[in-house]
Amino acid sequence: MTIKHVGVVGCGAMGSGIVQVILQGGYHVIVQESSEQFLEQGLARVEKGVAKLSAKGSISEEESRNMLASLSGTLNTADLKDCDLIIEAVFEEIEIKKELFNTLDGICKPETIFASNTSSLSITEMSAATQRTQRFVGLHFFNPVPLMPLVEVVKTLSTEPDVIQDALSFAKSIGKVPVLAKDQAGFIVNLLLTPFMLNAMHAAANGVASVGDIDKAMKLGCNHPMGPLMLADFIGLDVIYNACQVMFEEYCDARYAPPPILRKMVLVGNRGLKSSRGFYDWSDPKKPVPWMAEGQF
């Protein structure tokens, strides 16, 4: 299938990054949001990202204008009816996603490929809300999308081989490196990464070391770009909490059970970078500092 027109539902931090890299790949993109405010904010993020590329010389001014000319926004789901591929990047709630895809299924042409950017929810369950389970995949991008090269392409038992190849080719065409995974909770990266972050939370809560020293040890001892607790803040503690619940339910494995400290922090609104407080104080995003002293958990 030749993909020319791509729809993206949701233009938050992830959605806007996905839109930007698709525009860089030379596609026409239509973004759908739930309100005028969210749409304006999302399009502004995309325009800012494109402007940065132009300012750094990564693209010419003409390329910048052409990219933005290929972008449109809408509040009407029906405007996505002619898209060849639709990528969903809305809130990580399975019922919201199922309702969205069910609506799209009744609007879009039969050959349209549906894809979800979910990090852990069941692609199979989402696809079952449609009549096109064979044309449904996961396309899991990583944050920040313009900088992170990986895309997990997730196949279900029903996904047609041609659709899998179309998804892999599409990811390559927008400058990403795709890896193929089967539909199981966590896919590849989160399946392996989540226990690592949860173990770091247990270590901090049990007084093994301070937040800062745990992260420093993993950075310097394992040559990681950032420690597990700072990474958790960056991803979003609420996102991790929801993801580990999904994985714990699927695998019944204690490695994925959310630690009490994680649940407590999410309950009081400490979600990490996006709320300015998690395991670190992010009041100055360029200089995050651990805010909980040893023993305060």
Side-chain angles (χ1 to χ4, degrees):
M1 178 181 179
T2 301
I3 296 173
K4 294 182 179 179
H5 297 273
V6 181
V8 177
V9 183
C11 201
M14 286 298 294
S16 58
I18 292 170
V19 170
Q20 180 183 318
V21 297
I22 296 174
L23 288 172
Q24 288 175 245
Y27 295 91
H28 293 275
V29 182
I30 179 169
V31 177
Q32 191 259 323
E33 258 294 1
S34 58
S35 74
E36 191 67 44
Q37 178 185 357
F38 290 158
L39 182 59
E40 289 179 358
Q41 291 174 345
L43 293 177
R45 276 190 289 267
V46 176
E47 291 172 5
K48 183 178 180 181
V50 173
K52 284 184 179 178
L53 291 174
S54 180
K56 291 191 295 186
S58 300
I59 59 175
S60 67
E61 289 187 13
E62 182 180 3
E63 288 173 321
S64 173
R65 288 193 298 270
N66 289 339
M67 285 171 61
L68 295 178
S70 298
L71 173 64
S72 60
T74 184
L75 301 178
N76 189 352
T77 308
D79 290 337
L80 303 175
K81 61 184 176 64
D82 294 323
C83 291
D84 303 309
L85 167 67
I86 295 178
I87 301 172
E88 164 274 314
V90 302
F91 185 70
E92 282 285 82
E93 170 56 56
I94 190 69
E95 293 304 324
I96 293 175
K97 295 177 186 288
K98 286 164 63 177
E99 182 178 353
L100 168 66
F101 283 119
N102 179 263
T103 299
L104 289 168
D105 194 38
I107 293 170
C108 297
K109 54 190 179 182
E111 59 267 32
T112 301
I113 297 172
F114 287 174
S116 174
N117 179 57
T118 183
S119 60
S120 60
L121 297 177
S122 171
I123 303 298
T124 302
E125 185 173 351
M126 288 181 228
S127 73
T130 75
Q131 298 299 312
R132 62 182 80 206
T133 58
Q134 74 282 5
R135 301 193 67 76
F136 210 113
V137 295
L139 283 176
H140 180 213
F141 293 79
F142 290 78
N143 190 31
V145 179
L147 299 180
M148 298 292 280
L150 182 66
V151 171
E152 290 179 318
V153 176
V154 185
K155 64 177 181 177
T156 73
L157 292 173
S158 301
T159 311
E160 291 180 347
D162 287 350
V163 173
I164 295 171
Q165 288 305 313
D166 286 340
L168 292 167
S169 297
F170 172 76
K172 292 176 183 177
S173 75
I174 59 175
K176 299 302 181 184
V177 179
V179 293
L180 185 60
K182 70 177 183 178
D183 183 27
Q184 61 178 33
F187 312 137
I188 300 172
V189 173
N190 285 326
L191 180 74
L192 302 176
L193 178 63
T194 300
F196 172 56
M197 292 187 292
L198 298 187
N199 280 336
M201 295 175 195
H202 282 299
N206 292 334
V208 171
S210 67
V211 168
D213 281 350
I214 288 171
D215 276 355
K216 188 184 299 181
M218 294 311 299
K219 282 179 65 178
L220 301 181
C222 297
N223 199 29
H224 290 182
M226 69 173 69
L229 298 172
M230 182 175 286
L231 177 60
D233 271 5
F234 189 80
I235 293 170
L237 301 184
D238 55 332
V239 173
I240 294 170
Y241 182 66
N242 291 334
C244 65
Q245 286 184 305
V246 170
M247 286 185 274
F248 181 68
E249 181 179 351
E250 177 153 334
Y251 302 123
C252 296
D253 188 330
R255 291 180 300 166
Y256 300 102
I261 183 58
L262 176 60
R263 179 175 180 272
K264 292 174 183 176
M265 293 179 77
V266 171
L267 283 174
V268 299
N270 292 348
R271 298 175 295 156
L273 173 60
K274 57 188 169 186
S275 68
S276 297
R277 178 164 285 192
F279 288 97
Y280 287 78
D281 183 335
W282 295 86
S283 299
D284 181 353
K286 295 183 179 179
K287 295 181 180 180
V289 294
W291 74 275
M292 296 187 79
E294 189 173 350
Q296 280 189 295
F297 293 101

